[in-house]
Amino acid sequence: MKFSKHEEIWLTISVGMLVLFMVIVGYQTFALGMGPPSNKETLDPQKVDQTAPFDNPGVFEVGPNEYEVVMVLQVFSFTPNNIEIPKGATVHFTMTSKDVVHGFQVAGTNLNAMVMPGYIQKITQKFDKPGEYLVLCNEYCGAGHQMMSTTITVK
Ligand code: CUA
């Protein structure tokens, strides 16, 4: 197969752009640490119940209208579940999974995280609007996946 001069030029430009974008994205991710929000902290997934802070999951006040939610995900539930927080609260979620990969998505917010066994996921969200927010697992995790949900009530 023989390319015409024009095809060669455009092929070179498009391949060059792909390589350039890959270099830029790679540089941002690894050199500037601008990869997707995730946490490099790890723990032994077999010992979640014995490892702080997950030995005591719950909602803890850590400042003026600021809370930490220590949460354990497992097939097919969230611990603690049906959380209540005051309006305007800033909530730091610290999460891990006891078994398989789960998702933590809060409908009506930008909160959407993957929670993997062996890793500690940390994500912060401010809840300004009162209401009942549906929390869903959005990673397929087994037969009860579609039942894995809870709520966050802001009032
Ligand atoms: Cu947990 Cu799907």
Side-chain angles (χ1 to χ4, degrees):
M1 187 169 169
K2 192 159 183 332
F3 293 113
S4 77
K5 198 81 206 149
H6 271 96
E7 281 177 316
E8 268 174 32
I9 291 169
W10 284 108
L11 269 174
T12 307
I13 290 173
S14 50
V15 170
M17 281 169 76
L18 275 175
V19 171
L20 180 68
F21 290 148
M22 273 158 44
V23 168
I24 292 172
V25 169
Y27 176 71
Q28 287 179 332
T29 305
F30 298 107
L32 303 179
M34 285 165 64
S38 62
N39 213 294
K40 305 241 159 58
E41 282 176 77
T42 58
L43 79 167
D44 183 345
Q46 308 291 324
K47 294 188 179 144
V48 171
D49 287 334
Q50 296 99 279
T51 308
F54 301 106
D55 52 348
N56 184 28
V59 183
F60 306 95
E61 192 165 4
V62 293
N65 213 6
E66 194 174 343
Y67 295 83
E68 182 181 14
V69 173
V70 176
M71 185 178 268
V72 176
L73 286 74
Q74 63 265 297
V75 286
F76 300 100
S77 62
F78 300 84
T79 309
N81 62 9
N82 300 328
I83 296 168
E84 283 188 15
I85 48 161
K87 180 175 164 260
T90 299
V91 182
H92 309 285
F93 294 92
T94 302
M95 300 180 284
T96 195
S97 166
K98 265 181 164 175
D99 36 49
V100 297
V101 176
H102 296 283
F104 180 81
Q105 180 172 22
V106 184
T109 73
N110 288 332
L111 263 186
N112 190 353
M114 202 189 232
V115 182
M116 289 181 285
Y119 289 86
I120 301 173
Q121 177 67 276
K122 289 188 174 177
I123 195 160
T124 296
Q125 175 79 23
K126 193 163 184 278
F127 290 90
D128 285 322
K129 273 213 321 230
E132 192 181 89
Y133 294 78
L134 185 63
V135 180
L136 291 169
C137 174
N138 60 2
E139 295 286 337
Y140 182 75
C141 53
H145 162 70
Q146 70 281 357
M147 284 147 32
M148 187 167 168
S149 71
T150 183
T151 59
I152 296 173
T153 304
V154 180
K155 58 185 186 184

